[in-house]
Amino acid sequence: AAAPASAIAGSYGLLTSSVTNAGPGVNPVTVVDHVPAGLGVAAAVASGGVCNVAGQTVTCVVSGLQAGQSAPVTIVVGTAAPGTYANTVNVAPPAGITDSNPTNNAASASLVVAPVPTPAPAPKCVVPNLKKVPSSTAKKILKLLGCKVGKTKTAHSSSVAKGLVLKTSPKAGTYAANRTISLTVSSGKAKKKH
């Protein structure tokens, strides 16, 4: 599923999609987004995955997605000019795996970029879902989206690797500009005491 929202020219917008493993097994899934011309890619993250940016093409590989689970993929884009930007996202199973339903491997939506209104709207802080994103990348994205990065604390997790975000406080949403966002980052599995 692809779900871009709206943005104002000269600001950052989000292209958000969700990839779901329909099963039956656990396999890495490749997500490819050819970001429309006129938008500039500032950052890209996938929960539980790694993203690479080459020009207008963002490729993310999401690993460890159990059957029935979903993972968000978020691309932060710069918006220079007003207009409607059609965005399409495609997913592909790993080589050698046959997809039982290839008809659900693409989704599209349009990002509407509005001209700057007069008077200009109050700036906002936008917090996307950053779970399982490297903490350094999460901090960069929060700053791009008008937020102030607050305290970072750690907590043990048996399911989220060390250095990846467990949660944000407050949670994903839109807030007043410069809202302080705290991160809880995984310190890995708790060490067993003997």
Side-chain angles (χ1 to χ4, degrees):
S6 59
I8 295 174
S11 67
Y12 289 102
L14 296 177
L15 300 177
T16 304
S17 55
S18 179
V19 59
T20 302
N21 179 358
V26 179
N27 294 300
V29 178
T30 301
V31 180
V32 178
D33 190 328
H34 298 287
V35 175
L39 301 176
V41 179
V45 294
S47 179
V50 176
C51 296
N52 292 304
V53 178
Q56 295 297 106
T57 302
V58 177
T59 304
C60 301
V61 178
V62 180
S63 299
L65 200 56
Q66 301 289 328
Q69 287 186 327
S70 297
V73 176
T74 303
I75 302 171
V76 180
V77 293
T79 60
T84 300
Y85 298 88
N87 187 55
T88 300
V89 179
N90 294 290
V91 297
I97 302 294
T98 302
D99 189 341
S100 62
N101 185 9
T103 60
N104 68 358
N105 289 350
S108 60
S110 293
L111 173 66
V112 177
V113 178
V116 178
T118 304
K124 302 218 183 294
C125 159
V126 178
V127 181
N129 181 338
L130 295 170
K131 187 174 183 178
K132 295 185 180 180
V133 170
S135 62
S136 60
T137 303
K139 290 175 183 178
K140 175 183 174 184
I141 288 173
L142 289 170
K143 289 176 185 175
L144 285 171
L145 295 175
C147 306
K148 181 179 173 187
V149 178
K151 293 182 180 179
T152 299
K153 62 182 181 178
T154 60
H156 293 295
S157 174
S158 60
S159 62
V160 177
K162 182 177 181 177
L164 302 182
V165 174
L166 291 169
K167 67 179 182 175
T168 59
S169 180
K171 64 182 181 177
T174 302
Y175 305 95
N178 295 313
R179 173 78 183 255
T180 300
I181 309 300
S182 300
L183 299 173
T184 303
V185 177
S186 174
S187 58
K189 293 181 181 180
K191 293 182 179 173
K192 294 182 181 182
K193 296 180 181 180
H194 298 285

